Amino acid sequence: MEPKLEPIDVPLVSDYFQNPNPNFSLNVPVVDANAAVETQRSDGNNDRSEFNGNLDSIEENDDVEFTDPDALALVQVPEQQELANVESSYRRKHPPRSAELVRVTNLEIEDERYFRELVRKTRILYDSLRINVMLDDERRRSLMPRVRARSDMKVASLMRDSGLWLNQDKRIVGPIPGIHVGDVFCYRMELCVLGIHGQIQAGIDYLSMKMSSNGEPIATSVIVSGGYEDDEDSGDVIVYTGHGGQDKNSRQVVHQKLEGGNLGMERSMHHEVEVRVVRGFKYKGGAGDKIYVYDGIYKITEYWFEIGKSGFGVYKFKLVRMEGQPEMGSAILKFAESIQANPLEARPVGYVSLDISRNNEKVPVFLFNDIDDNHEPMGYDYQVTTIFPPFVYHNVNGHGGGCDCVDGCTLDCACAKKNGGKFAYDLNRHLLRGKPLVIECGLFCSCPPNCCNRVSQKGVRNKFEVFRSMETGWGVRSLDLIQAGSFICEYTGVVLTKGQAQLFTMNGEDSLVYPSRFGERWAEWGDFSQVYSDDVRPSYPSIPPLEFAIDVSKVRNVACYMSHSPCPNVFVQLVMYDHSNYAFPHLMLFAMENIPPLRELSLDYGAADEWTEKLAICN
DNA sequence: GCGCCTTCATAACG
DNA sequence: CCGTTATGAAGGCG
């Protein structure tokens, strides 16, 4: 009697995910453990045996024990084992990894949104905390050079201690809710935090044979990162090399064995368990050596053993990308690179303008429309920085004095004090924490232009394009990878006082943007309350309520075309630098997440109103 | 459960 | 800008 793969519904999912609206179910391939044990003594499928160093003997080698190839993946934890784990978890710092394999199915749109938001919040916390911890580490290193800075690991463990790692209670097979194809991560650790790939260094993540109730390891995800010379990657098809047999310099020095992750891959192939694929590679704009991109799920279709380039035997697994998934993230990243290299060759049709800023921005801003003949953005003058009324520049608050740090600013300078004793940015020009107001060094300061407290005033650094889309009308995307915390651009236009704005609207114009209506998303960037219970949100410097409006009817910049989203990837941070009237700050936009090239940028414009026709999108 | 081993990290150093 | 080295932590497994 052959056991069958039978999907079953597990009713406890809603509690596990604490989803307010759980209409989806988990689908779990399950087999009776006893059935597997009974069929375990098989007739010896010896092509899966361990290689003993002699090529000729591969075929005959039969002395390694294997479970029956027809035994299906066991996914239920035996009850005794579960109880034992509960017992021991009182002593352990961290509970053991889950032994339960589940596949998430039937996600409703509301569920998808819920998980996307959960992932977004988690990533925002990870990235903002990492930037802050990294700066602390750099300071400590300057005093004690021996200290090694691994903020990526430190933040992961802080978040783990606070129970903030996602998807730890189950091992998810296939897509992770809230993780989209094309999402980009700058640190491998983040994949652990989100539950995409649980191995901090190893390329194959698998349910261990100890956890698996039939003793078979089951692979669930791989990272293709160029660590093995025998890999071949053509995108939809990957020939992935198994692990093992390398020395500490990553040279293949002995034959690989069919065990651990390698066996897990073979078993996943057999049971038709799909694996997630994350690619790691060098990319301009990444934080460290590599970035990591989630590229979707693949099927393992065959595996074999062969002598690799080193002369030693390696296991190889052929992975084929499954149908019906969005375009590969890594392909989009490469396409963006080719656009940068030669825009017209990469996209022969669609360009309306190669720079709507007409050389006013340091980096050109493309206008791209390949769906209709609308050229509307060409009808506006491009404005790089906001035009304030002249009286704003009069020194009404008496805060005109800048710092006199000729050799660069330090933490005891006058401008640092204005910000509450800290500068707003790290050495990579990333915003440390969202605040009511950031005061950059400016016109009245003696510090050099490369002062670390001058970021947003220096303008756009990335290549943006305004593009036409079916869903959102006009939208904005970047050709560069934008790291979380990076400055994007100002939201510019002509500032009208409250009175002027009233006159303006009486004339029937509705092209005014009210800064006070933007959602206060800055508060999410650097909200550490989940990790440090005594953490207080920065409230200094405080500012009066914003009463002005921005007129974008004649002049505007790229920001004006950003779409609205309730789960935005860009937020508004108020900044001062060229005057000292706190009632009229600049609206500066920063990235809340790592934004991959060609993904639409979105802002929270506040409550839906007639002043914006932007449609809600949820990237 | 403890300790050992492996691991397609990472940054710093030369 | 390489290759190497030191550090590091999680998970598998004996």
Side-chain angles (χ1 to χ4, degrees):
Chain A
M1 190 180 81
E2 266 200 13
K4 279 191 210 157
L5 266 181
E6 268 183 40
I8 63 158
D9 287 332
V10 179
L12 46 77
V13 191
S14 56
D15 291 338
Y16 163 61
F17 287 118
Q18 299 174 338
N19 185 348
N21 198 353
N23 295 325
F24 64 92
S25 63
L26 293 183
N27 153 353
V28 185
V30 152
V31 72
D32 182 357
N34 296 325
V37 172
E38 269 174 31
T39 52
Q40 190 163 355
R41 201 56 243 164
S42 75
D43 49 355
N45 238 354
N46 42 23
D47 64 324
R48 280 185 284 107
S49 24
E50 177 181 337
F51 182 59
N52 65 5
N54 180 352
L55 261 186
D56 298 333
S57 70
I58 295 177
E59 304 280 314
E60 295 121 57
N61 190 342
D62 183 14
D63 58 1
V64 182
E65 237 185 76
F66 279 99
T67 52
D68 179 73
D70 292 317
L72 294 175
L74 289 187
V75 291
Q76 280 179 322
V77 193
E79 269 174 45
Q80 318 88 302
Q81 195 181 330
E82 232 168 45
L83 289 174
N85 287 343
V86 170
E87 186 88 24
S88 63
S89 67
Y90 291 109
R91 289 181 142 209
R92 283 187 180 226
K93 190 177 178 195
H94 299 295
R97 289 190 84 183
S98 166
E100 198 175 350
L101 284 178
V102 295
R103 199 179 269 126
V104 181
T105 58
N106 305 332
L107 268 189
E108 304 275 331
I109 289 182
E110 311 91 80
D111 304 314
E112 172 53 35
R113 238 177 242 157
Y114 169 80
F115 288 117
R116 185 62 174 167
E117 186 60 15
L118 189 61
V119 164
R120 199 180 77 93
K121 287 255 158 65
T122 306
R123 296 184 68 191
I124 289 170
L125 177 58
Y126 182 86
D127 282 325
S128 59
L129 192 51
R130 184 184 44 74
I131 287 171
N132 282 267
V133 169
M134 190 190 272
L135 188 65
D136 284 349
D137 281 350
E138 270 161 16
R139 285 217 188 91
R140 207 163 304 138
R141 249 189 79 78
S142 66
L143 302 172
M144 291 175 55
R146 284 285 164 91
V147 178
R148 263 164 209 274
R150 288 301 296 266
S151 53
D152 56 328
M153 289 180 176
K154 218 178 273 181
V155 170
S157 86
L158 278 171
M159 288 178 68
R160 191 182 203 192
D161 293 345
S162 304
L164 297 173
W165 284 25
L166 302 185
N167 302 310
Q168 301 303 297
D169 297 15
K170 303 268 189 296
R171 298 237 198 174
I172 296 178
V173 170
I176 305 273
I179 303 290
H180 292 188
V181 170
D183 285 348
V184 171
F185 312 91
C186 287
Y187 293 89
R188 171 94 186 238
M189 257 299 181
E190 212 173 341
L191 303 172
C192 292
V193 174
L194 297 169
I196 299 169
H197 187 89
Q199 299 286 341
I200 180 171
Q201 280 189 235
I204 304 170
D205 194 17
Y206 60 102
L207 176 68
S208 66
M209 55 191 239
K210 261 193 157 178
M211 297 289 238
S212 177
S213 45
N214 71 343
E216 297 180 14
I218 303 290
T220 55
S221 67
V222 298
I223 295 192
V224 187
S225 195
Y228 283 81
E229 58 192 356
D230 294 306
D231 283 358
E232 291 165 49
D233 185 358
S234 64
D236 284 344
V237 179
I238 304 166
V239 177
Y240 190 84
T241 311
H243 62 194
Q246 292 188 325
D247 66 6
K248 44 182 167 304
N249 288 323
S250 301
R251 278 181 300 244
Q252 201 71 39
V253 289
V254 288
H255 303 297
Q256 290 184 347
K257 295 173 179 172
L258 194 58
E259 60 187 23
N262 298 349
L263 185 55
M265 291 290 279
E266 189 277 336
R267 291 286 81 194
S268 283
M269 178 189 85
H270 180 80
H271 297 305
E272 298 182 296
V273 171
E274 68 275 27
V275 291
R276 291 181 290 277
V277 168
V278 172
R279 282 189 174 82
F281 48 90
K282 282 183 207 246
Y283 200 81
K284 185 179 158 267
D289 195 40
K290 270 177 197 157
I291 62 164
Y292 295 90
V293 186
Y294 174 57
D295 268 340
I297 52 175
Y298 285 62
K299 248 189 247 172
I300 309 167
T301 59
E302 44 180 312
Y303 91 104
W304 62 94
F305 183 88
E306 69 175 42
I307 299 303
K309 293 181 176 150
S310 61
F312 292 97
V314 293
Y315 281 92
K316 290 194 164 184
F317 301 92
K318 185 173 176 187
L319 306 176
V320 179
R321 193 161 194 261
M322 293 173 75
E323 299 288 323
Q325 302 186 78
E327 193 182 353
M328 271 196 300
S330 55
I332 294 175
L333 284 154
K334 275 169 194 133
F335 181 53
E337 268 179 337
S338 76
I339 296 173
Q340 302 245 18
N342 194 335
L344 291 165
E345 191 179 296
R347 291 185 300 193
V349 291
Y351 284 104
V352 180
S353 165
L354 288 178
D355 187 10
I356 57 170
S357 89
R358 299 182 184 89
N359 270 330
N360 283 308
E361 213 76 83
K362 271 177 281 185
V363 188
V365 181
F366 293 163
L367 180 61
F368 188 83
N369 181 355
D370 59 353
I371 60 177
D372 59 34
D373 56 4
N374 190 328
H375 293 181
E376 188 202 332
M378 298 303 291
Y380 299 90
D381 281 337
Y382 195 92
Q383 188 62 36
V384 170
T385 184
T386 291
I387 301 170
F388 290 99
F391 73 84
V392 167
Y393 293 92
H394 302 156
N395 194 4
V396 288
N397 278 354
H399 287 307
C403 65
D404 45 7
C405 314
V406 182
D407 297 324
C409 291
T410 51
L411 281 178
D412 53 359
C413 98
C415 292
K417 291 203 177 85
K418 284 188 204 165
N419 285 301
K422 272 184 179 172
F423 288 118
Y425 308 106
D426 72 357
L427 301 173
N428 301 312
R429 298 178 301 273
H430 292 148
L431 187 70
L432 290 165
R433 303 183 76 164
K435 302 170 70 174
L437 179 67
V438 165
I439 299 168
E440 297 190 0
C441 287
L443 289 176
F444 316 107
C445 298
S446 322
C447 57
N450 66 353
C451 160
C452 65
N453 195 32
R454 299 169 185 265
V455 172
S456 69
Q457 60 185 272
K458 299 228 183 143
V460 169
R461 303 174 64 95
N462 297 302
K463 254 187 193 169
F464 291 108
E465 69 181 17
V466 177
F467 72 102
R468 191 80 176 148
S469 98
M470 299 291 199
E471 293 80 24
T472 59
W474 293 105
V476 179
R477 58 196 179 194
S478 165
L479 296 180
D480 299 302
L481 166 64
I482 303 177
Q483 276 182 54
S486 304
F487 172 66
I488 289 182
C489 69
E490 182 167 358
Y491 200 114
T492 76
V494 177
V495 164
L496 304 182
T497 60
K498 196 178 175 184
Q500 289 171 322
Q502 280 164 355
L503 282 175
F504 201 87
T505 40
M506 274 163 56
N507 293 337
E509 300 271 359
D510 63 347
S511 57
L512 297 189
V513 174
Y514 292 93
S516 59
R517 294 195 193 171
F518 282 103
E520 290 199 341
R521 297 296 185 141
W522 57 264
E524 290 176 35
W525 182 253
D527 175 0
F528 304 143
S529 56
Q530 285 180 284
V531 173
Y532 305 120
S533 51
D534 56 342
D535 184 68
V536 281
R537 225 201 240 182
S539 58
Y540 183 88
S542 63
I543 54 164
L546 300 179
E547 297 194 312
F548 67 91
I550 299 178
D551 174 15
V552 293
S553 65
K554 294 192 175 59
V555 304
R556 48 175 68 173
N557 75 338
V558 56
C560 193
Y561 300 100
M562 282 186 202
S563 300
H564 170 75
S565 170
C567 43
N569 51 23
V570 176
F571 66 97
V572 177
Q573 169 65 63
L574 302 174
V575 176
M576 309 267 302
Y577 67 90
D578 58 350
H579 64 72
S580 47
N581 189 328
Y582 281 18
F584 292 89
H586 291 267
L587 274 66
M588 298 301 193
L589 309 186
F590 288 79
M592 299 195 97
E593 310 173 50
N594 299 324
I595 306 176
L598 297 173
R599 178 172 292 181
E600 181 159 11
L601 273 51
S602 59
L603 268 174
D604 177 6
Y605 283 87
D609 246 324
E610 66 278 0
W611 65 276
T612 173
E613 295 172 2
K614 299 289 184 178
L615 297 170
I617 60 153
C618 194
N619 60 61

